[in-house]
Amino acid sequence: MVAKESSISMKSLERLVSDKASKLGNSFPCQICVVGFLCGICLTSLFLAALTSLGTFGLTAFSFSSVFPPCNSTSQVTNMDAVIDRKIKWKNKAEAGEDNDDDQMKILVSAWDNLLLNNEDYFKKQGINKSDVPNAPHLENCKERTGVRERLDTPIANQTFPSWINGGDEENYPLTRRVQREIWYHQHPQDCANKSLKFLVADWETLPGFGIGAQIAGMTGLLAIAINENRVLVTNYYNRADHDGCKGSSRGSWSCYFLPETSKECRKRALEVMKKKEAWDSGLVTGKQNYSSKEIWSGRIPKLWGQPWSYMKPTTEINGTLISSHRKMDRRWWRAQAVRYLMRFQTEYTCGLMNSARHSAFGKEAAEIVLSAGDWRKNKKKQIRSEIEEEVWSNHKPWVPRPLLSVHVRMGDKACEMRVAALEEYMHLADRIRDRFPELNRIWLSTEMKEVVERSKDYAHWRFYYTEVARQVGNTSMADYEGSLGREMSTNYPLVNFLMASEADFFVGALGSTWCFLIDGMRNTGGKVMSGYLSVNKDRFW
C-alpha cells in the first residue's frame, strides 16, 4: 500500500496540474504564503525549542469539549475502536456546595460510557444491571442500525427503494428523491454477471495535498462520467481508511466509513474483469487514467434529469445578497447529489465515532434531561420494547441540543485559493442568524486553526463545542498538519465534524472551501435547504 501511494505516474500528474493551477501557483497571495511559511519555520523552531525545554509540547487526545460552562471533575473514556482516548469533563456541583444531583449525573454518564465500551466488569463492580440503565437519547444502537441499513441497501427483486432523504421535496434540491433513487438503481444492476456490463474502477486520489474534500469532489466527477457512459462506478483503494481502526476487508476502503457505492456482486465482478487485458482494450472497464483532469473535475454533468439547477430556490447569502444564479449552478447541484449518494448510509464504525462525539459533547445535557424524570436507580423500569418502539421510534435520529449552528472556519494555506476571513466575520453572520432566531445559542465549531479556538472564548454569549486536537499555527500546509495528527485521527475527526455540520440547524462557512461546498451539498439534499447558508466568500469558480 505504501508503494502504491508513493508511486506517482506522469499521467496522474498531468491530470492534477491544470493551467489554472499553474497560474495560481504564481499568484501574489501564494507568494505571500511562501514567504510567510519560511518566516514561520524560524519562529516555530524557536517556539518549539522553548516548549521542549519546558516539557510542555504534545498532542491532545481526540475529544469533544463543551467550552461553556467550565468543568472540574474528569472522566476517562476510550473510543469505540479502543485505540483513541477521550477526556470528558463535568462540573461538580457538590464541590460547590450544591445538591447531590451531580453524583447521579456522573453515575449515569459513566454507565453510558461503559455501555458504549461494552464493559461488563464496570456493571458488575457497580452492582448495576445493564437493562436498568435508561435509554441514552443521544446515542444509537450502531450494530442494530447498521444491520437495518445493510439490509435496505442490498438489492432484492421487487424491493422498494431504500430512501435516505429527509424532509419534503421543497426542503431539498429539485428532484433529489428521484435522482437518489435512479443513481442507486444504476449502481445496483440486477445482473452483475451480465457480460456486457461496463465498469469504471478508480482509486481515490492519494497525492499529498489532496484533502478529504478534494478526494470526494474528484469521485463525484468520476460518478458523473460513469453515469454518462453507462458504467458502474467501483471505488478501490482509499488511503485515508488504511489504518488500524478500519478492520478486515474495510481497511483501505471507503466502506470503512460508508456503505459501498455498489453491490458486493458487482464489485467482485469488476475486480475480476479488470485483471484481463482484453477488458481494458475493449473498453469494458476503464480507470482514472482513461480520463483527463478536465473531464474529471469539470466534465459533463449527467443530463438524464434535464436542468433542475435552473429552478433552485436562492437560499445562499454572500455579502448581504441572495445569490440567485452563478456560472456553476449545474456543478453545485450535481456534487450535492453525488456526495449524498456516496455518504447515504454510515457504517457501524462511523456510527460509533458519531456516538462518541455526541456523548462527549452532549452527554451531560442528555443526562440532565433523563434525570429530570427522577432517580433512575430508585425508579427502575423493566425495559420491554413495544412494537411502536421497534417499528416507528427506532427510526428517529439521536438527540442533540437544538437549535444548533455549525460554523466551519477555513484559514491556513487556503489563502492561496480564496479570500480567508477571520473568526469575527463568521461570528457576525452567526449573530445575524441569532437576531432572527434568539433561541439559538450553541455553535459546533470546526477549524484547523488554533487561533480560532482561542478567539472563540471571547464570545461568552455563545456556547461552543469543538474537537480537542492539536491545531495548525500559522501557514503550515494541510498535508503537513494532517501528517502530524496521523492518518486515523486526521480522517476521523474531520468526518465527524462534516456529519455534525450536515445535521445542524444552520450553517456558516466559506463557499471558497471545497469542504464547505460539500457540507452545503449534504445539507441541501438532507432537508436543510430552507435553513439557508451564510458564507464569508464565494466559490472561486463562480
Side-chain angles (χ1 to χ4, degrees):
M1 293 299 188
V2 174
K4 190 169 187 177
E5 285 189 61
S6 59
S7 62
I8 304 171
S9 67
M10 291 302 294
K11 189 165 286 187
S12 67
L13 286 174
E14 181 275 324
R15 285 190 293 101
L16 293 171
V17 182
S18 62
D19 290 336
K20 287 187 178 180
S22 298
K23 294 175 183 176
L24 192 60
N26 295 321
S27 67
F28 182 72
C30 280
Q31 292 171 0
I32 293 296
C33 288
V34 172
V35 174
F37 176 70
L38 292 174
C39 293
I41 290 176
C42 299
L43 293 174
T44 302
S45 299
L46 293 172
F47 181 65
L48 289 182
L51 283 179
T52 303
S53 64
L54 294 173
T56 58
F57 183 72
L59 294 180
T60 307
F62 175 43
S63 66
F64 292 78
S65 175
S66 174
V67 177
F68 175 83
C71 308
N72 298 321
S73 60
T74 302
S75 172
Q76 295 277 5
V77 187
T78 305
N79 201 347
M80 295 297 290
D81 58 5
V83 175
I84 305 171
D85 287 338
R86 296 189 283 114
K87 293 180 181 178
I88 306 176
K89 297 182 179 179
W90 311 111
K91 184 175 181 180
N92 192 327
K93 295 181 182 177
E95 290 181 359
E98 299 182 19
D99 55 40
N100 292 322
D101 287 348
D102 193 46
D103 290 335
Q104 296 182 39
M105 185 184 302
K106 287 191 290 186
I107 292 172
L108 180 53
V109 170
S110 182
W112 285 339
D113 286 340
N114 286 279
L115 280 175
L116 282 175
L117 297 168
N118 197 26
N119 185 357
E120 299 286 351
D121 290 339
Y122 168 84
F123 293 99
K124 290 178 181 178
K125 290 178 181 178
Q126 297 295 324
I128 300 174
N129 291 322
K130 291 168 63 176
S131 59
D132 291 336
V133 180
N135 287 328
H138 58 305
L139 303 179
E140 279 192 298
N141 183 327
C142 291
K143 187 172 184 178
E144 181 180 282
R145 291 296 294 151
T146 304
V148 171
R149 291 164 180 159
E150 288 175 344
R151 287 193 296 274
L152 288 173
D153 206 54
T154 301
I156 302 174
N158 301 319
Q159 80 168 21
T160 57
F161 169 67
S163 180
W164 49 84
I165 303 303
N166 298 311
D169 290 343
E170 71 282 358
E171 296 173 295
N172 290 285
Y173 270 169
L175 302 186
T176 290
R177 275 190 168 78
R178 175 186 166 188
V179 173
Q180 293 297 307
R181 178 175 64 249
E182 293 182 11
I183 293 177
W184 190 86
Y185 282 125
H186 172 89
Q187 286 291 115
H188 294 81
Q190 290 188 357
D191 184 12
C192 291
N194 188 330
K195 293 185 178 181
S196 63
L197 195 63
K198 297 188 295 182
F199 300 97
L200 195 170
V201 182
D203 289 348
W204 297 74
E205 290 292 354
T206 59
L207 286 178
F210 261 76
I212 303 177
Q215 289 178 309
I216 296 172
M219 197 55 71
T220 66
L222 289 166
L223 180 58
I225 292 173
I227 291 175
N228 286 331
E229 296 186 356
N230 196 25
R231 299 178 182 277
V232 174
L233 174 67
V234 178
T235 68
N236 209 0
Y237 179 64
Y238 183 45
N239 63 329
R240 293 181 181 274
D242 192 0
H243 57 74
D244 292 339
C246 297
K247 309 297 183 183
S249 62
S250 72
R251 179 159 187 156
S253 172
W254 179 252
S255 63
C256 175
Y257 292 99
F258 301 94
L259 294 197
E261 68 290 338
T262 189
S263 65
K264 293 179 181 178
E265 293 77 13
C266 278
R267 172 176 296 277
K268 181 180 178 182
R269 169 71 177 158
L271 297 181
E272 290 174 350
V273 169
M274 69 178 292
K275 296 176 183 177
K276 302 176 182 178
K277 183 177 181 300
E278 58 269 25
W280 292 91
D281 293 341
S282 66
L284 194 64
V285 60
T286 57
K288 281 189 300 185
Q289 67 274 15
N290 294 99
Y291 308 100
S292 68
S293 175
K294 183 177 181 180
E295 289 175 302
I296 295 173
W297 294 94
S298 56
R300 290 188 303 117
I301 301 302
K303 298 295 176 64
L304 298 173
W305 306 285
Q307 297 183 343
W309 48 85
S310 64
Y311 50 91
M312 292 194 303
K313 183 177 178 65
T315 57
T316 299
E317 181 185 290
I318 303 174
N319 297 326
T321 301
L322 273 179
I323 306 300
S324 58
S325 64
H326 52 80
R327 293 187 300 115
K328 298 296 181 180
M329 296 278 283
D330 56 345
R331 196 158 310 284
R332 188 180 186 187
W333 176 87
W334 167 249
R335 281 188 176 176
Q337 300 297 338
V339 72
R340 169 58 61 180
Y341 176 77
L342 291 171
M343 292 183 161
R344 65 194 183 282
F345 287 134
Q346 299 172 19
T347 60
E348 186 173 353
Y349 179 68
T350 302
C351 176
L353 293 176
M354 296 303 293
N355 267 350
S356 296
R358 284 189 300 268
H359 189 54
S360 296
F362 313 130
K364 177 182 175 182
E365 294 170 79
E368 288 175 342
I369 292 172
V370 172
L371 290 172
S372 66
D375 188 339
W376 61 278
R377 292 169 298 175
K378 296 178 181 178
N379 304 320
K380 295 180 180 179
K381 298 178 182 178
K382 194 172 182 180
Q383 302 285 341
I384 300 176
R385 295 185 66 176
S386 62
E387 286 185 285
I388 195 169
E389 287 180 288
E390 292 282 357
E391 304 297 331
V392 182
W393 295 344
S394 62
N395 290 324
H396 282 227
K397 291 186 176 181
W399 174 85
V400 298
R402 296 189 183 278
L404 181 66
L405 165 65
S406 172
V407 175
H408 180 72
V409 181
R410 185 68 169 95
M411 296 173 70
D413 60 353
K414 204 66 175 179
C416 292
E417 300 178 11
M418 71 176 195
R419 183 188 73 82
V420 297
L423 177 63
E424 287 74 13
E425 288 191 50
Y426 292 85
M427 294 308 298
H428 172 71
L429 298 180
D431 287 335
R432 282 198 52 213
I433 300 174
R434 191 171 184 175
D435 288 343
R436 175 62 180 82
F437 303 96
E439 68 275 23
L440 176 66
N441 67 352
R442 290 176 169 88
I443 289 179
W444 186 279
L445 178 64
S446 57
T447 181
E448 75 281 6
M449 302 303 297
K450 182 178 180 180
E451 66 178 273
V452 172
V453 173
E454 291 298 320
R455 289 181 182 178
S456 71
K457 298 171 184 176
D458 296 335
Y459 298 88
H461 59 296
W462 287 95
R463 181 170 184 167
F464 288 87
Y465 306 90
Y466 54 81
T467 52
E468 287 187 358
V469 295
R471 284 184 161 79
Q472 284 180 264
V473 177
N475 290 322
T476 304
S477 72
M478 183 59 75
D480 289 343
Y481 169 60
E482 290 182 341
S484 71
L485 293 179
R487 180 166 291 171
E488 186 171 1
M489 176 83 76
S490 66
T491 303
N492 290 356
Y493 99 83
L495 282 176
V496 166
N497 283 330
F498 184 96
L499 294 172
M500 287 298 300
S502 301
E503 294 294 330
D505 298 284
F506 302 99
F507 182 61
V508 171
L511 273 172
S513 160
T514 302
W515 194 242
C516 288
F517 196 102
L518 295 174
I519 289 173
D520 178 56
M522 282 287 280
R523 293 177 59 79
N524 289 329
T525 53
K528 303 292 185 180
V529 161
M530 299 310 296
S531 294
Y533 180 8
L534 275 65
S535 176
V536 297
N537 62 20
K538 67 177 182 178
D539 180 85
R540 58 191 181 278
F541 298 122
W542 287 7

